Amino acid sequence: KIIAIGEVPEVQYYRATMMDRLRAWDAQTTVLEEFAVHTVQGAALSLVTIFAILYLTCLEYAFHLSPVVTDRVHVNETSPDGLQVEFDITFPKIPCALLSIDAANPLGESQSLNLDKEHRVWKHRLDTNGNEIGHRSRFELGSTMKDESHLRDLLMTKQQEEQQQEEEECGDCYGAGNDGECCNSCDDVKRAYLRKQWRFPEVNTIRQCQKNPKSLEERQNNEGCNVHGIIALSTGGGDFHIAPTHALEFFGNEGPLSFEQLINGIFEVFNCTHTIHKLHFGQDFPGNVNQMDGQNRTVNDDYAMHQYYIQVVPTLFFFLNGSSIQTNQFSVTEHQRIVNPGSGRGLPGVFFFYEVSPLHVEFVEKRLGWIQFLTSVCAVVGGAFSVMGMIDKCIYEFSKSHNKRRQCLG
């Protein structure tokens, strides 16, 4: 028992020595209350410090925990399977009856638009104020004409068909003709009635007069057309275009058309003024910009062929939840080519030439996480207190020296 009692001072000394050694490592020294100096500028700086910490903490939270997108560009050996194009274009000065859409590969050969339940093209007639007329209808596909040689071939084919039909058919003169006389046109029936001095009946009752279509000006005077839809094209490049259709009977007259009348009629009616409401090459993704949306192009006095040259860049976007979409971005340059009747430079129309780039872009959506956020908060708190402490000390020392100088002078 005496030994145990004699060991107590040694244990206490050992513990006191350990505590002294630990105090020697204390970097967070505390100033006793009676030695602390409370100043107005110190209180103001403390408030500034609190607000600065709160503001910087909010910024760090937004930076570290909000999604950020990183990008990477690389060359891909393979191209996507297909190119989906969604468009919505308005032609305020061209009737729907004259428009058709088609696509071609880089060699100029026609390529399929791959229409199905998801890919369709529609047209909607518009009045002079841009209001829709009736219901939308399927748009004519293919059979577009891009140069004057197509017009000449069409005219020759049509004349041959009409000549063959006249040779094979003997139209009724409705009792006004002579024996064996044929009335194959509305003018033939009128001449027969005039020869008999009979009153000409209602035009709607004469078959030959019914089959003469009204001119475009009578059928769709001053109308416009909205064309919209989704098509799928080949990734090998090429173009898709909206141009005059082969359905030129809407220029119909009772007499045959000459080549000059036909081409002048197309140039007069086909004004390529247009507004692109939408032009997308795939699905949208966060941060994507479709620079052609809402663009308007006006043709005033000249006849024009409007050409767009589009560079399509395949894009893969990865979301935070692990899902991804395969889509495209694009850049575009444009050129308005002036064409005149008989110049041989082509017919008016709107052409979209596209090429798929071998460069692929990947966007990855991610956030930095909580560990980086907490580390940054610690740095903000420590830095704010340190900087404000130095400012407070400088202000205090300056105020102290200034008061001493005033006392000396007083």
Side-chain angles (χ1 to χ4, degrees):
K1 292 181 180 179
I2 296 175
I3 295 176
I5 294 174
E7 290 178 350
V8 172
E10 296 179 0
V11 172
Q12 292 179 348
Y13 174 77
Y14 176 75
R15 289 179 178 177
T17 305
M18 289 297 297
M19 295 297 291
D20 292 337
R21 290 178 181 178
L22 288 175
R23 290 192 187 96
W25 289 92
D26 183 14
Q28 309 295 329
T29 56
T30 303
V31 180
L32 296 177
E33 184 65 24
E34 58 267 21
F35 296 109
V37 179
H38 299 279
T39 60
V40 175
Q41 68 268 16
L45 288 175
S46 298
L47 293 176
V48 172
T49 302
I50 293 173
F51 285 114
I53 290 174
L54 292 176
Y55 176 72
L56 294 175
T57 301
C58 292
L59 291 182
E60 291 295 329
Y61 180 86
F63 177 75
H64 287 87
L65 299 179
S66 297
V68 295
V69 178
T70 60
D71 58 85
R72 182 174 73 94
V73 180
H74 64 94
V75 178
N76 200 346
E77 298 178 356
T78 60
S79 297
D81 295 333
L83 185 63
Q84 179 172 290
V85 183
E86 182 179 4
F87 61 91
D88 186 352
I89 307 174
T90 293
F91 296 88
K93 298 184 178 181
I94 306 178
C96 289
L98 273 185
L99 290 174
S100 184
I101 185 172
D102 202 358
N105 60 22
L107 300 178
E109 301 171 348
S110 179
Q111 65 166 306
S112 173
L113 298 176
N114 299 306
L115 300 183
D116 50 29
K117 292 182 178 181
E118 296 181 358
H119 304 89
R120 294 182 179 179
V121 183
W122 304 90
K123 64 179 179 180
H124 211 141
R125 294 169 57 193
L126 305 175
D127 60 18
T128 54
N129 297 320
N131 300 317
E132 297 178 347
I133 301 174
H135 300 283
R136 68 178 185 177
S137 59
R138 295 285 182 88
F139 195 54
E140 288 79 10
L141 306 177
S143 302
T144 57
M145 294 183 295
K146 297 183 286 185
D147 54 58
E148 297 175 9
S149 63
H150 293 166
L151 274 178
R152 195 181 300 275
D153 295 340
L154 174 65
L155 185 60
M156 291 179 60
T157 303
K158 187 175 182 180
Q159 290 175 348
Q160 291 174 0
E161 291 177 353
E162 291 178 352
Q163 182 179 1
Q164 183 179 0
Q165 184 177 3
E166 290 177 358
E167 293 176 355
E168 296 176 354
E169 181 182 357
C170 182
D172 188 6
C173 294
Y174 297 89
N178 299 323
D179 293 339
E181 183 179 0
C182 297
C183 297
N184 292 326
S185 68
C186 189
D187 286 343
D188 293 340
V189 178
K190 290 179 181 179
R191 282 192 294 269
Y193 269 78
L194 183 61
R195 187 172 58 246
K196 292 287 187 178
Q197 296 183 353
W198 292 356
R199 181 177 177 275
F200 193 75
E202 292 293 333
V203 176
N204 294 334
T205 63
I206 305 300
R207 182 176 60 86
Q208 290 87 334
C209 297
Q210 290 178 353
K211 74 177 183 180
N212 285 323
K214 295 181 180 179
S215 66
L216 178 65
E217 291 77 13
E218 295 174 348
R219 292 174 59 94
Q220 298 185 8
N221 186 28
N222 297 325
E223 285 190 9
C225 189
N226 173 261
V227 183
H228 59 277
I230 302 176
I231 58 178
L233 301 175
S234 168
T235 56
D239 73 89
F240 67 97
H241 52 270
I242 301 174
T245 178
H246 275 97
L248 292 175
E249 63 270 17
F250 294 104
F251 283 103
N253 294 319
E254 293 191 2
L257 287 173
S258 66
F259 175 73
E260 289 75 15
Q261 291 174 325
L262 189 62
I263 192 171
N264 287 332
I266 281 190
F267 275 86
E268 288 297 331
V269 177
F270 214 89
N271 185 315
C272 285
T273 296
H274 61 281
T275 300
I276 300 177
H277 305 287
K278 179 186 291 187
L279 181 62
H280 297 177
F281 288 81
Q283 303 179 52
D284 281 336
F285 60 90
N288 186 31
V289 177
N290 296 292
Q291 60 268 39
M292 292 304 298
D293 289 2
Q295 295 296 310
N296 179 67
R297 299 294 180 267
T298 303
V299 178
N300 295 319
D301 300 327
D302 298 320
Y303 309 114
M305 174 192 296
H306 215 95
Q307 299 171 323
Y308 296 93
Y309 298 91
I310 299 171
Q311 186 76 21
V312 180
V313 181
T315 302
L316 190 59
F317 194 97
F318 295 95
F319 292 94
L320 276 175
N321 58 9
S323 62
S324 64
I325 57 172
Q326 176 70 55
T327 182
N328 300 282
Q329 302 178 89
F330 68 95
S331 62
V332 60
T333 57
E334 57 185 287
H335 172 66
Q336 191 177 78
R337 182 179 182 182
I338 303 302
V339 293
N340 292 307
S343 64
R345 302 189 66 188
L347 298 178
V350 178
F351 292 75
F352 298 90
F353 298 92
Y354 70 94
E355 180 183 9
V356 179
S357 173
L359 296 178
H360 288 214
V361 178
E362 289 185 1
F363 291 101
V364 180
E365 194 177 42
K366 62 181 182 180
R367 60 167 57 103
L368 297 179
W370 286 98
I371 296 178
Q372 291 88 339
F373 169 68
L374 294 176
T375 303
S376 299
V377 168
C378 292
V380 165
V381 173
F385 275 108
S386 299
V387 171
M388 293 303 175
M390 289 187 294
I391 295 175
D392 181 52
K393 186 175 182 181
C394 292
I395 294 175
Y396 177 76
E397 293 295 335
F398 175 78
S399 176
K400 185 177 179 181
S401 61
H402 181 69
N403 291 333
K404 286 183 178 180
R405 189 179 301 122
R406 290 179 60 183
Q407 291 176 0
C408 293
L409 292 175

